[in-house]
Amino acid sequence: MTWDDLDAHLDRVPGTVSAYVGRLDAPPTWTRHADAGHYAASTMKVAVLAALHRAAEAGTLDLDAPVPVVNDFDSARPGAPRFANAQPYDNDDAVWDRVGGTASLRWLADRMIVRSSNLATNLVLGHVGLPAVAEVWALAGARNSITGRGIEDFAAREAGITNTVTAADLAALLGALATGADNPGPLASPAACTTMLDVLLAQEHREDLAAGLPAGTRIAHKNGWVRGVRHGAGVVLPDDAPPYLVVVCTTTDLADSEDQVEDDACLLIAHISAQVWAARHQL
């Protein structure tokens, strides 16, 4: 396979397929529509995670203090009524089981990533705030990604307030976390970056990027999906090659599932991931 071959294959896919592949702290080896905007789906949760850990390091939030678990949130649309999440649209009953009780922000952040819980995301976002998430994107060097609202804030969505990512920006964010685990970086201390990578390594939804890798391969990643959208963004940690970034964002009719069940978009991302793995020594 050559990168031109992969591009030619993707040219036949309906919709928009964006990609970014390369080593950490180096120019990309291959990109495809890397600055094209896509609805973020759950990939924005990585920026929320980073904002939380930045706040903890600044001393403004305590990761282990109990906070109320509620299902009632301010809309990002000024003057709009408060909104709530729908449990059938979520992926983690464990968070819903705690509604009316408490949980630590650390636990909620873990569930936000490893199970992609929407309720946990909105709870964490309510404590860190949208400006803190915007600061994370800026510090990572992202140019086009915006986290404008919480998940299922339909009033804000109707007002045109949305969450957008690009493959290049997701690569910049994950790259900043991965390199920050070894050296002081713009987002957080090495200890905090290592903690965040450990959470991403524990990701339980493995139907796309991870599915294209040999069993047991370590990948710190986050995916996101709604009907018409499927993304995967990760740092792959081979035993026999340097770490590398692989991000694939798709806005396509192939993404025909609204849950984590495999669809053709999952299979496409897994195929790309497998091709990149095969070329890992040449990146």
Side-chain angles (χ1 to χ4, degrees):
M1 179 216 74
T2 68
W3 302 115
D4 287 342
D5 292 336
L6 191 50
D7 265 319
H9 172 70
L10 297 176
D11 284 342
R12 298 190 291 272
V13 174
T16 301
V17 179
S18 301
Y20 182 107
V21 171
R23 300 258 186 246
L24 303 177
D25 272 346
T29 302
W30 173 63
T31 63
R32 175 186 174 85
H33 307 316
D35 292 321
H38 297 261
Y39 175 63
S42 290
T43 58
M44 49 77 78
K45 295 171 183 177
V46 181
V48 177
L49 178 70
L52 175 64
H53 280 269
R54 283 177 55 78
E57 288 205 313
T60 56
L61 288 175
D62 181 349
L63 292 179
D64 296 309
V67 299
V69 178
V70 299
N71 185 22
D72 181 52
F73 305 103
D74 288 325
S75 173
R77 178 179 177 177
R82 295 172 68 83
F83 72 98
N85 289 124
Q87 186 170 4
Y89 191 60
D90 209 333
N91 301 289
D92 190 7
D93 287 339
V95 181
W96 290 85
D97 289 344
R98 298 204 184 189
V99 171
T102 63
S104 71
L105 287 170
R106 188 188 303 276
W107 183 82
L108 290 168
D110 286 353
R111 306 309 293 182
M112 171 178 73
I113 298 297
V114 303
R115 291 302 304 165
S116 205
S117 168
N118 294 336
L119 179 58
T121 301
N122 283 342
L123 286 163
V124 174
L125 186 58
H127 285 274
V128 301
L130 289 167
V133 181
E135 184 177 14
V136 164
W137 285 117
L139 289 171
R143 297 179 296 173
N144 300 295
S145 294
I146 297 170
T147 303
R149 59 173 173 82
I151 297 175
E152 298 175 70
D153 183 354
F154 298 127
R157 184 183 68 181
E158 290 167 4
I161 302 170
T162 192
N163 299 326
T164 303
V165 293
T166 70
D169 288 349
L170 285 169
L173 178 56
L174 285 168
L177 291 178
T179 57
D182 295 319
N183 300 287
L187 291 183
S189 70
C193 287
T194 298
T195 297
M196 288 185 269
L197 286 177
D198 286 343
V199 175
L200 292 162
L201 282 163
Q203 171 64 251
E204 295 178 10
H205 294 292
R206 303 179 62 84
E207 303 81 21
D208 35 60
L209 286 179
L213 300 173
T217 303
R218 297 173 72 225
I219 176 172
H221 67 122
K222 184 71 192 81
N223 38 25
W225 59 89
V226 295
R227 190 174 298 278
V229 165
R230 185 86 195 195
H231 309 323
V235 182
V236 181
L237 304 164
D239 291 333
D240 62 350
Y244 64 86
L245 293 157
V246 54
V247 181
V248 184
C249 297
T250 73
T251 301
T252 169
D253 291 341
L254 298 179
D256 59 6
S257 175
E258 290 190 356
D259 57 27
Q260 67 268 28
V261 176
E262 285 186 5
D263 56 20
D264 287 340
C266 281
L267 298 176
L268 176 67
I269 295 174
H271 171 74
I272 296 170
S273 182
Q275 297 301 311
V276 176
W277 171 264
R280 66 193 180 281
H281 296 296
Q282 289 76 49
L283 296 179

